[in-house]
């Protein structure tokens, strides 16, 4: 029972159904005393002047009305098509389930407006701009994008994106406001756990804790200067000869995340980029190219394509100084020596990590890796990054790996590292002390779910809602028909 609640709560907060490009027009409400009618047209056959054949053909119908929002039958069909186009499994998705989700989203958005939770036009338009830019880069051109989405022109497509994004953003802000102040106390966690029957307690998969010591090669001053000279030459060609920064990035950038897009990124000051990179970017004017500068990933130049309030559209070129094979070989020998000193008892693995590792984010924590999903130290084997799993899966207890060569997937330089599995946890039924962090999250999720459910019940009662006769037999999770 509790696990079912947890699953439902996860669906509520993660938005299990993607709205895609469903229509979200806000229109004048029909007479509230009348059942919303189906839209029909008379199909007339004039082939025989003396005979008129009339046939009613259904164009679209109103599935439901939630406050200021109308949901059309076509919205439900569009949402189902969008889910399939995105590769989502629709085997267990029902028409009633989709309608219920669309109604939830519109109730959140309607109440957000009532509560003066605002989303600015600039914020919505910026989101649409980013989406269009991404689509153009993926598909090839605006013409191909319009053809793919069966739109007549860019203005109509932008208008539809605006409506979709406005509704989604209002809905998200409303949900966040409902649960933003919900906290969970240790006593609530204990009560939550004790209420779960022993036979229904969740099973925690096999897990491990991992530590590593990393050595990163340092390029020579001569190699650094070669890169700086190359970037200065590119900058001069762009500024003096009107060369395309976009093309230069495709040809020369070593950033795997943006090379194919001509070095393009759209960022704000809150974007999780290197601080030096953001400081340089936000110091530039529109159309300006930066001087070469260094980050942990290598050397960059940035071109500011457009400034939109607190958001920048930029292109950049990353080039990393070459590292000689002899330098890499020296690192491997150094790590071999560190490994042997740990085996000989001169240092613990944690002490060696603090003394010798070049990876600052793990060195101070004894080399301990953190799971990006919850920032805890444990990695569940079935959910681990495949590359990380392959690096440690054959390590025995207290065994330290031989030096492992690794190319930074984020675009940084090569490195060597040694690794150790510091703790193992076999698959087991959840234990309060051992799995407190996971149980705490489950308890908080249930508390959030209950808050959402209470909010939903209250506002369904207080909001104008009507469901088309053909949809009233749906087994909705919420009391939309107000029976």
């Amino acid at each position: 029972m509790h696990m079912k609640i947890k699953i439902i709560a996860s669906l509520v907060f993660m938005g299990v159904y993607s709205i895609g490009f469903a229509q979200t027009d806000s229109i004048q409400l029909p007479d509230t005393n009348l059942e919303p009618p189906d839209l029909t047209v008379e199909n007339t056959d004039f082939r025989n002047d003396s005979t008129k054949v009339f046939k009613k053909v259904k164009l679209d119908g109103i599935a439901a009305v939630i406050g200021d929002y109308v949901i059309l039958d076509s919205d439900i069909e569009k949402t189902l098509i969008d889910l399939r186009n995105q590769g989502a499994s629709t085997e267990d998705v029902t028409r009633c389930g989709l309608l219920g989700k669309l109604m939830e989203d519109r109730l959140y958005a309607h109440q957000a407006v009532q509560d003066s939770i605002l989303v600015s036009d600039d914020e919505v338009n910026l989101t649409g701009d980013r989406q269009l830019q991404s689509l153009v880069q993926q598909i090839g051109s605006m013409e191909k994008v319009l053809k793919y989405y069966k739109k007549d022109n860019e203005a109509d497509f932008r208008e539809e994106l605006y409506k979709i994004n406005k509704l989604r953003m209002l809905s998200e802000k409303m949900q966040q406001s409902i649960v933003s102040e919900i906290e969970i106390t240790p006593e609530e966690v204990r009560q939550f756990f004790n209420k779960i029957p022993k036979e229904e307690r969740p099973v925690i998969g096999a897990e491990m804790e991992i530590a590593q010591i990393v050595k990163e090669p340092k390029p020579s001053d001569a190699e650094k200067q070669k890169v700086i000279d190359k970037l200065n030459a590119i900058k001069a060609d762009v500024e003096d000869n009107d060369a395309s920064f976009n093309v230069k990035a495709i040809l020369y950038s070593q950033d795997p995340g943006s090379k194919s897009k001509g070095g393009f990124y759209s960022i704000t000051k809150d974007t999780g980029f290197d601080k030096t990179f953001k400081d340089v970017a936000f110091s530039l004017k529109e159309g300006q190219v930066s001087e070469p500068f260094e980050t942990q990933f290598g050397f960059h130049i940035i071109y500011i394509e457009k400034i939109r309030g607190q958001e920048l559209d930029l292109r950049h070129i990353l080039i990393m100084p070459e590292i000689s094979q002899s330098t890499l070989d020296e690192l491997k020998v150094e790590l071999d020596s560190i490994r042997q000193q740990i085996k000989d008892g001169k240092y613990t693995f944690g002490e060696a990590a603090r003394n010798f590792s070049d990876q600052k984010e793990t060195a101070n924590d004894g080399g301990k890796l953190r799971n990006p999903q919850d920032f805890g130290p444990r990695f569940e084997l079935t959910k681990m990054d495949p590359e990380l799993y392959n690096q440690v899966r054959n390590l025995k207890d207290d065994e330290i790996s031989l030096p492992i060569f690794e190319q930074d997937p984020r675009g940084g330089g090569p490195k060597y590292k040694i690794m150790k599995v510091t703790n193992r946890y076999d698959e087991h039924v959840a234990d309060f002390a051992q799995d407190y962090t996971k149980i705490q999250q489950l308890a908080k999720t249930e508390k959030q779910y209950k808050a959402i459910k209470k909010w939903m019940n209250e506002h369904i009662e207080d909001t104008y809602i009507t469901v088309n006769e053909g949809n009233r037999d749906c087994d909705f999770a919420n009391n939309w028909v107000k029976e």
Side-chain angles (χ1 to χ4, degrees):
M1 177 269 293
H2 286 270
M3 291 309 297
K4 184 177 180 182
I5 288 176
K6 185 210 73 168
I7 292 169
I8 292 172
S10 297
L11 299 184
V12 170
F13 297 117
M14 294 175 66
V16 75
Y17 299 123
S18 171
I19 300 307
F21 292 116
Q23 188 174 337
T24 58
D25 295 288
S26 177
I27 64 175
Q28 184 67 37
L29 289 178
D31 187 337
T32 58
N33 297 314
L34 298 177
E35 177 68 27
D38 285 343
L39 303 179
T40 61
V41 65
E42 291 182 342
N43 185 16
T44 308
D45 187 348
F46 292 109
R47 287 175 296 177
N48 188 329
D49 290 340
S50 62
T51 305
K52 292 183 180 180
V53 179
F54 295 96
K55 181 181 179 183
K56 284 191 174 183
V57 179
K58 184 174 178 180
L59 290 180
D60 208 344
I62 295 176
V65 178
I66 309 291
D68 295 330
Y69 292 96
V70 172
I71 302 172
L72 302 176
D73 288 328
S74 59
D75 292 334
I76 304 171
E77 301 305 320
K78 276 186 176 184
T79 305
L80 185 60
I81 291 169
D82 289 335
L83 281 171
R84 289 171 179 159
N85 288 343
Q86 294 165 20
S89 172
T90 58
E91 184 178 344
D92 297 325
V93 176
T94 65
R95 187 180 186 281
C96 288
L98 282 178
L99 175 57
K101 181 64 175 67
L102 293 175
M103 293 172 77
E104 287 179 14
D105 289 335
R106 282 147 183 78
L107 180 60
Y108 290 131
H110 169 78
Q111 194 58 44
V113 174
Q114 306 306 308
D115 292 351
S116 299
I117 296 175
L118 303 178
V119 176
S120 71
D121 287 348
D122 285 346
E123 190 177 356
V124 180
N125 287 326
L126 285 174
T127 299
D129 288 344
R130 285 198 300 268
Q131 290 169 335
L132 274 180
Q133 289 166 357
S134 177
L135 288 170
V136 169
Q137 287 161 1
Q138 290 175 38
I139 299 177
S141 68
M142 181 59 72
E143 290 73 20
K144 291 179 180 178
V145 170
L146 296 176
K147 183 178 180 181
Y148 182 83
Y149 286 104
K150 297 180 174 60
K151 299 299 173 186
D152 294 331
N153 55 69
E154 183 179 339
D156 287 350
F157 194 27
R158 284 185 178 275
E159 183 179 357
E160 185 165 351
L161 280 176
Y162 176 89
K163 293 174 183 176
I164 294 163
N165 288 324
K166 182 72 173 280
L167 185 143
R168 176 183 57 78
M169 294 162 80
L170 283 171
S171 175
E172 288 174 355
K173 283 197 172 186
M174 188 69 247
Q175 292 178 69
Q176 289 165 5
S177 74
I178 298 168
V179 301
S180 61
E181 296 183 3
I182 291 178
E183 298 295 340
I184 195 85
T185 66
E187 178 59 22
E188 287 176 313
V189 178
R190 187 189 65 79
Q191 290 178 7
F192 167 81
F193 183 75
N194 289 338
K195 276 193 261 182
I196 305 175
K198 287 186 178 180
E199 63 274 13
E200 293 183 20
R201 287 177 181 171
V203 174
I204 308 297
E207 297 175 304
M208 60 173 62
E209 294 180 3
I210 305 165
Q212 64 183 22
I213 298 171
V214 179
K215 296 304 293 183
E216 299 175 349
K218 303 294 188 291
S220 67
D221 290 341
E223 288 296 335
K224 288 183 178 181
Q225 192 58 50
K226 281 172 63 175
V227 170
I228 293 170
D229 292 344
K230 185 171 184 177
L231 288 171
N232 275 325
I234 293 172
K235 170 181 166 70
D237 200 17
V238 170
E239 292 178 334
D240 300 339
N241 304 318
D242 291 327
S244 168
F245 197 99
N246 184 346
V247 172
K248 295 286 189 183
I250 292 172
L251 290 174
Y252 301 113
S253 183
Q254 294 174 325
D255 174 16
S258 68
K259 177 181 175 70
S260 63
K261 300 182 291 185
F264 181 83
Y265 283 117
S266 185
I267 70 169
T268 68
K269 290 184 178 180
D270 295 325
T271 303
F273 276 27
D274 181 274
K275 182 180 183 302
T276 302
F277 186 95
K278 289 193 292 186
D279 287 345
V280 172
F282 281 93
S283 71
L284 300 172
K285 298 177 182 177
E286 195 168 294
Q288 188 176 0
V289 181
S290 75
E291 299 293 332
F293 65 95
E294 186 177 13
T295 71
Q296 59 181 315
F297 301 107
F299 287 85
H300 312 250
I301 53 172
I302 293 175
Y303 165 67
I304 301 300
E305 196 165 86
K306 193 170 186 180
I307 298 176
R308 298 179 297 186
Q310 297 301 308
E311 186 164 14
L312 299 181
D313 286 351
L314 61 82
R315 297 184 184 274
H316 88 119
I317 295 171
L318 165 69
I319 301 179
M320 293 172 281
E322 287 190 16
I323 304 294
S324 68
Q325 187 58 50
S326 62
T327 300
L328 290 172
D329 291 342
E330 288 171 5
L331 285 185
K332 187 176 180 182
V333 170
E334 184 180 357
L335 272 177
D336 269 327
S337 173
I338 294 170
R339 178 175 180 269
Q340 190 59 51
Q341 290 179 72
I342 297 170
K343 291 177 69 176
D344 292 343
K346 186 172 182 179
Y347 305 101
T348 65
F349 196 96
E351 289 169 344
R354 283 185 278 271
N355 287 326
F356 305 116
S357 183
D358 292 334
Q359 190 178 61
K360 295 177 183 178
E361 59 264 39
T362 60
N364 293 333
D365 202 12
K368 188 180 294 184
L369 291 178
R370 294 283 171 179
N371 190 329
Q373 295 179 355
D374 59 9
F375 300 104
R378 297 188 194 178
F379 292 81
E380 189 171 338
L381 270 57
T382 58
K383 299 177 182 178
M384 282 177 67
D385 176 84
E387 184 176 0
L388 177 61
Y389 176 72
N390 286 331
Q391 290 171 343
V392 299
R393 64 190 178 97
N394 293 324
L395 289 178
K396 298 179 176 62
D397 291 346
D398 296 324
E399 183 181 1
I400 302 170
S401 75
L402 293 170
I404 299 168
F405 178 78
E406 184 175 80
Q407 191 75 43
D408 193 331
R410 300 174 300 172
K415 67 183 76 167
Y416 269 104
K417 64 183 181 180
I418 53 176
M419 308 184 74
K420 179 182 179 182
V421 176
T422 56
N423 274 306
R424 297 180 192 273
Y425 304 89
D426 293 332
E427 181 177 282
H428 60 280
V429 175
D431 174 85
F432 184 76
Q434 184 175 325
D435 304 300
Y436 180 84
T437 302
K438 286 184 171 63
I439 295 165
Q440 181 186 46
Q441 186 55 51
L442 291 177
K444 186 173 183 179
T445 299
E446 184 188 55
K447 190 173 181 180
Q448 291 173 329
Y449 169 74
K450 287 179 178 178
I452 286 281
K453 191 68 176 174
K454 181 182 178 184
W455 182 96
M456 188 72 64
N457 290 337
E458 291 173 352
H459 287 84
I460 285 174
E461 283 299 314
D462 298 340
T463 305
Y464 168 74
I465 298 171
T466 183
V467 180
N468 186 287
E469 187 68 37
N471 298 314
R472 290 185 180 178
D473 290 335
C474 285
D475 184 18
F476 292 121
N478 296 297
N479 186 27
W480 296 116
V481 294
K482 300 187 180 183
E483 292 179 343

